[in-house]
Amino acid sequence: MRVGVRFRRPHRWLMLFLCLCGASSLGALLAVMTAAQPSASALPAMGQASSANYDESKAGNFRLPDPLVFNNGKPVKTPGEWPKRRAEILKLYAEDVYGRTPKTPRRIRYKVFDDTQDALGGKAVRKQVTIYFPTPKGEAHEDLLIYIPSNAPKPAPTILAINFGGNQTVNADPAIKLATVWIGKLPVRQQAPETSRGRDKGFDVEKILARGYGFATICYQEIEPDFMEGYLHGGLREMFMPAGQTEPTGDYWGAIGAWSYGLSRAMDYLEKDKDVDAHRVAIMGHSRLGKTVLWAGAQDTRFAMVLANCSGRGGASPWRRNYGETLHSMSKAFPYWFCPNLLTYVGRVDKLPVDSDELIALIAPRPVYITGAQDDQWADPHGMFLAAVAAGPVYKLLGAEGLDTDQMPGINQPIGHTIGFHVRDGKHAVTAYDWDQYLAFADAHLKAH
Ligand code: GCU
């Protein structure tokens, strides 16, 4: 069954209010609202349902779908059969979860508007690039910030992160171009304020560079709005909307799909940059952007590694678990992250033909690291572990080792091989502890080439 889903229109009164405001009071309002934007690490756990279950005994009796069984019920027996099964899962994931991704553009255009040899006190080469790519409604663009370590062999393995508040939030470097961001959840955009520089404490660029990795980043707000009916406001989903269609229906892509597409376009550029080793690019994202990097890595095999921080439901946590956030609560707070088809599974999630173990398996045999946090039960760390375990047989089939255990580790005990996993103490955030594990994982898998 394929149905269209109508989203609410929460912004109408706000638009009216904005229109009635004089220019100066509008400016003041925008300044206040922008200043109130949360940093990634401090994002509130929006959409949390007070009725959520946190009792493991009530999480439900279910079996995760087996990634090694074809849609027709036949088992996948050899590595040679995997690409066919992989294509089946990818198609189901697109049809029923994130939506179909538009074709890769044949050509991108880009402009390097900054190429500075002695950035960050001589520690890095800094480049800033605007990437332009075609859509049915004209060219879209996004800004990519890149630091390449000065004293490391080139081309450098590179971590490409997708950030929340703008490229300028990842470091206090005053030369980073200020992003154009949405005013909270209003459908109005403006340049991010100077005060937002270096505000995202989830990144320690200097530390990453000191380990010999390049660091690149794009801002999700420059790709697709993160609010209800964002598809009306000039993001990629609007630009790809077929003529005559006025709202997403069926398998039309959600915001996560659009953000993932933005990562792939950044990769299009990185492939052309001689300082970056395009065969050793890891993608990293937190929370909704952890979901995004899993989907990006699942689709785009150019990404050599995926680092999914606290991705939770809609990411590495199985839809089938009734624990913390559920499809039901998500369908109310964040329906636009997914395709409308997903919402038809509310109340019958056991009928969803795929689940997150298969999302992880789509990345195999490339390394993937999944994290949770002890105080972030909303994201269901145990569920993420179960999905990582269930993806293991695909890694094994392809000659890699997954987690290599089905015992949930204790807090702050990283485990795994080609699938890495930990639950750290503390809350929903990206911390130095998380990065220490990511960099060790990258050393083990990306430096070996
Ligand atoms: C909410 C949402 C999560 C999401 C998180 C975030 O808490 O329910 O699914 O991961 O926001 O992106 O910060």
Side-chain angles (χ1 to χ4, degrees):
M1 184 179 48
R2 299 284 181 262
V3 296
V5 175
R6 269 200 167 276
F7 298 137
R8 286 180 289 127
R9 287 187 176 268
H11 301 310
R12 272 189 186 144
W13 67 269
L14 287 166
M15 287 304 283
L16 182 65
F17 175 70
L18 288 172
C19 294
L20 294 174
C21 280
S24 60
S25 51
L26 173 63
L29 175 73
L30 298 187
V32 169
M33 302 207 65
T34 308
Q37 278 196 355
S39 71
S41 53
L43 266 178
M46 288 165 283
Q48 297 212 359
S50 54
S51 56
N53 170 55
Y54 290 109
D55 178 348
E56 190 62 43
S57 72
K58 295 186 184 134
N61 282 324
F62 58 85
R63 284 178 62 157
L64 289 174
D66 187 340
L68 291 179
V69 175
F70 283 107
N71 290 347
N72 66 9
K74 297 224 167 86
V76 179
K77 289 197 190 119
T78 64
E81 288 176 330
W82 172 246
K84 196 168 159 222
R85 173 60 183 148
R86 185 178 186 284
E88 282 186 355
I89 299 173
L90 205 50
K91 185 160 180 282
L92 291 172
Y93 243 97
E95 279 171 6
D96 281 323
V97 182
Y98 298 116
R100 255 180 321 98
T101 302
K103 285 209 189 77
T104 304
R106 243 179 286 150
R107 205 172 71 80
I108 59 155
R109 200 164 69 76
Y110 57 89
K111 189 170 173 216
V112 180
F113 64 89
D114 175 24
D115 189 348
T116 302
Q117 298 302 307
D118 56 352
L120 301 181
K123 289 191 206 109
V125 173
R126 184 190 58 240
K127 299 185 197 187
Q128 298 189 74
V129 186
T130 304
I131 302 165
Y132 301 87
F133 48 96
T135 80
K137 294 191 186 139
E139 237 176 4
H141 61 89
E142 65 189 29
D143 284 340
L144 174 66
L145 165 70
I146 310 169
Y147 288 108
I148 303 291
S150 300
N151 300 321
K154 298 192 192 39
T158 297
I159 298 178
L160 167 62
I162 180 161
N163 69 71
F164 284 94
N167 294 348
Q168 80 289 345
T169 61
V170 306
N171 191 278
D173 182 347
I176 302 175
K177 182 179 167 191
L178 294 169
T180 305
V181 293
W182 300 94
I183 312 299
K185 287 184 179 288
L186 295 180
V188 182
R189 289 216 259 194
Q190 71 166 16
Q191 191 178 66
E194 283 288 337
T195 50
S196 63
R197 292 191 182 281
R199 199 179 55 189
D200 191 334
K201 301 303 172 209
F203 296 104
D204 185 344
V205 175
E206 277 90 348
K207 178 166 156 177
I208 296 166
L209 298 174
R211 290 282 285 263
Y213 295 93
F215 178 80
T217 192
I218 56 172
C219 173
Y220 88 139
Q221 299 195 51
E222 294 196 341
I223 301 164
E224 176 66 24
D226 186 5
F227 46 77
M228 298 276 192
E229 295 198 331
Y231 66 87
L232 291 172
H233 298 290
L236 286 189
R237 291 194 307 149
E238 182 180 33
M239 297 185 86
F240 279 97
M241 192 85 78
Q245 192 175 329
T246 53
E247 63 182 359
T249 56
D251 62 2
Y252 195 69
W253 60 343
I256 288 175
W259 299 327
S260 306
Y261 193 80
L263 280 165
S264 288
R265 301 296 68 81
M267 186 67 188
D268 294 345
Y269 169 78
L270 292 177
E271 285 189 311
K272 297 178 194 301
D273 192 311
K274 62 177 178 18
D275 290 335
V276 173
D277 185 344
H279 297 292
R280 291 187 293 163
V281 172
I283 42 175
M284 182 273 170
H286 167 60
S287 205
R288 66 200 68 184
L289 300 180
K291 310 180 209 302
T292 299
V293 292
L294 285 167
W295 181 227
Q299 297 180 92
D300 191 336
T301 56
R302 293 175 300 172
F303 295 124
M305 174 182 284
V306 176
L307 308 169
N309 204 88
C310 294
S311 60
R313 199 78 58 218
S317 302
W319 290 108
R320 280 166 172 73
R321 280 201 17 120
N322 172 30
Y323 189 99
E325 185 166 31
T326 59
L327 174 58
H328 182 258
S329 48
M330 217 164 213
S331 71
K332 296 197 159 46
F334 306 107
Y336 60 92
W337 286 353
F338 306 95
C339 68
N341 280 343
L342 179 69
L343 310 182
T344 67
Y345 291 94
V346 174
R348 52 178 205 113
V349 75
D350 53 315
K351 298 285 186 298
L352 191 66
V354 281
D355 217 323
S356 61
D357 55 324
E358 294 176 303
L359 176 64
I360 298 167
L362 287 172
I363 299 167
R366 291 164 294 148
V368 54
Y369 201 109
I370 292 159
T371 77
Q374 188 177 21
D375 302 342
D376 184 21
Q377 293 300 314
W378 178 243
D380 189 11
H382 187 220
M384 290 196 256
F385 170 74
L386 296 175
V389 171
V394 177
Y395 278 78
K396 196 150 222 150
L397 179 78
L398 301 178
E401 200 69 67
L403 283 182
D404 195 24
T405 177
D406 55 8
Q407 294 300 306
M408 175 84 175
I411 304 304
N412 299 334
Q413 288 177 21
I415 54 165
H417 297 273
T418 314
I419 302 177
F421 178 83
H422 71 242
V423 180
R424 82 166 146 69
D425 64 321
K427 62 183 175 105
H428 185 70
V430 187
T431 68
Y433 180 90
D434 297 321
W435 276 109
D436 286 343
Q437 312 320 313
Y438 293 153
L439 291 171
F441 193 65
D443 284 353
H445 296 282
L446 288 189
K447 281 263 175 86
H449 294 237

